[in-house]
Amino acid sequence: MHLIIQGPNVETTDLKQLAKLSGANGIEQTSSNVFRLANASPHADIEPLCAQAQLDFAFVPETQALSQIGLVVMDMDSTLITIECIDEIADMLQLKPQVAAITASAMRGEIDFAESLTRRVALLAGLEQGALQCVYDERLQLSPGAERFLATLQQHNIKTLLVSGGFTFFTDKLKPRLQLDYTASNVLEIVDGKLTGKVLGRIVDAQGKADHLQRLREQLGLKREQVIAIGDGANDLKMLGEAGISVAYHAKPVVRAQTTYAINYSGLDAVLNLFV
């Protein structure tokens, strides 16, 4: 196995200590702030050392290559983008603290996602549709490295699916902007230019996300090991479980504990460094 070390600031002293702990027989810098420690083995002290130094680490097979991947499935809120859209929409009604608290509880897995979404959207009843555009224009930002990440996937002819418990208003705009292949999300009911406080159709919840991944994987004729899934919240766990390689991106502890890799400090393009 190779031990991949990356982060905003990688100190030589930390690298040498990690090489010693893992028994690696070499340190190679593959790009800026990214290092590969060859022939490394796990050690109990590696995780706490990396946490203290704010470094991302991953043990990856020597032969793990991006050319083997056919599909990448991503969550939207707090993964592809930096915000939780529904929290920012609620801020237009001065309800962000109430809605954000429900969002956080759902992401930690404390309450059912569909129930949480229904409760949150109900609080938005009466909001002008134009508020959604304000959130997109003024508050929505891509996660660091997102554009480079997606561009590289496209260069390798890897299909992309953005599947979200958020809303089509945002995924429909991001799809052409980022040249995403597929999107799936929830539809807000709007009547006379105002939100009714209801979601139309079946809610894209944890199982819905997993179903979308599974259907597309089968449609594309891919094996499980040819799929990468990336998410941050408890409602992503079933989707992450359907992929051969799962990545927790700046995620809740419950997610980090159940994924192949975790990216806690680097940008979204750090996922690329786990492959040759």
Side-chain angles (χ1 to χ4, degrees):
M1 302 282 277
H2 291 318
L3 174 57
I4 306 298
I5 301 296
Q6 52 188 326
N9 185 30
V10 185
E11 298 287 351
T12 301
T13 52
D14 291 326
L15 280 175
K16 289 181 177 179
Q17 180 66 12
L18 289 165
K20 182 179 179 180
L21 288 171
S22 65
N25 59 12
I27 300 174
E28 176 190 1
Q29 183 170 4
T30 58
S31 61
S32 178
N33 290 328
V34 183
F35 297 84
R36 180 189 295 134
L37 281 58
N39 299 316
S41 301
H43 188 284
D45 291 339
I46 290 175
E47 184 172 358
L49 193 159
C50 287
Q52 183 178 4
Q54 296 196 331
L55 299 174
D56 291 314
F57 76 96
F59 284 93
V60 304
E62 296 178 12
T63 57
Q64 182 165 278
L66 209 55
S67 59
Q68 300 164 345
I69 303 300
L71 173 65
V72 171
V73 182
M74 295 160 285
D75 173 46
M76 180 175 69
D77 296 279
S78 298
T79 301
L80 180 62
I81 63 176
T82 61
I83 64 170
E84 292 285 337
C85 288
I86 193 166
D87 294 356
E88 300 307 319
I89 296 169
D91 199 30
M92 302 292 176
L93 290 168
Q94 287 77 53
L95 292 173
K96 185 173 181 177
Q98 296 94 309
V99 170
I102 301 172
T103 300
S105 182
M107 293 304 100
R108 291 192 298 265
E110 296 168 353
I111 57 176
D112 175 72
F113 178 81
E115 175 196 342
S116 78
L117 185 68
T118 300
R119 284 169 55 189
R120 287 177 288 166
V121 171
L123 293 171
L124 305 179
L127 183 67
E128 296 283 346
Q129 181 180 359
L132 303 179
Q133 188 66 45
C134 288
V135 169
Y136 182 83
D137 291 338
E138 300 172 10
R139 304 194 181 190
L140 187 149
Q141 293 185 339
L142 300 177
S143 290
E147 289 176 293
R148 176 177 175 267
F149 176 59
L150 292 170
T152 303
L153 298 182
Q154 289 152 10
Q155 289 168 10
H156 285 78
N157 297 313
I158 298 171
K159 298 296 184 183
T160 51
L161 165 63
L162 181 62
V163 59
S164 174
F167 309 116
T168 53
F169 182 89
F170 301 101
T171 58
D172 286 353
K173 292 181 181 301
L174 290 170
K175 184 178 181 180
R177 171 180 168 183
L178 300 175
Q179 299 181 47
L180 301 167
D181 294 296
Y182 308 93
T183 61
S185 53
N186 294 302
V187 182
L188 288 169
E189 184 179 58
I190 298 172
V191 176
D192 296 330
K194 294 184 178 182
L195 277 63
T196 66
K198 297 179 181 178
V199 177
L200 297 176
R202 180 183 173 186
I203 289 176
V204 179
D205 56 7
Q207 188 59 53
K209 287 187 171 191
D211 291 345
H212 279 291
L213 183 155
Q214 189 174 29
R215 280 195 296 268
L216 184 55
R217 185 183 68 206
E218 293 173 355
Q219 178 185 322
L220 296 173
L222 298 173
K223 299 176 182 177
R224 181 185 292 261
E225 56 264 31
Q226 293 177 281
V227 180
I228 301 171
I230 309 170
D232 74 298
N235 67 314
D236 295 318
L237 284 172
K238 290 185 178 180
M239 171 188 81
L240 293 164
E242 287 293 330
I245 298 172
S246 54
V247 181
Y249 180 73
H250 293 232
K252 305 298 182 290
V254 68
V255 181
R256 295 199 302 267
Q258 299 181 54
T259 49
T260 317
Y261 305 115
I263 303 294
N264 298 320
Y265 309 105
S266 308
L268 198 57
D269 55 342
V271 177
L272 300 172
N273 300 318
L274 307 178
F275 299 84
V276 295

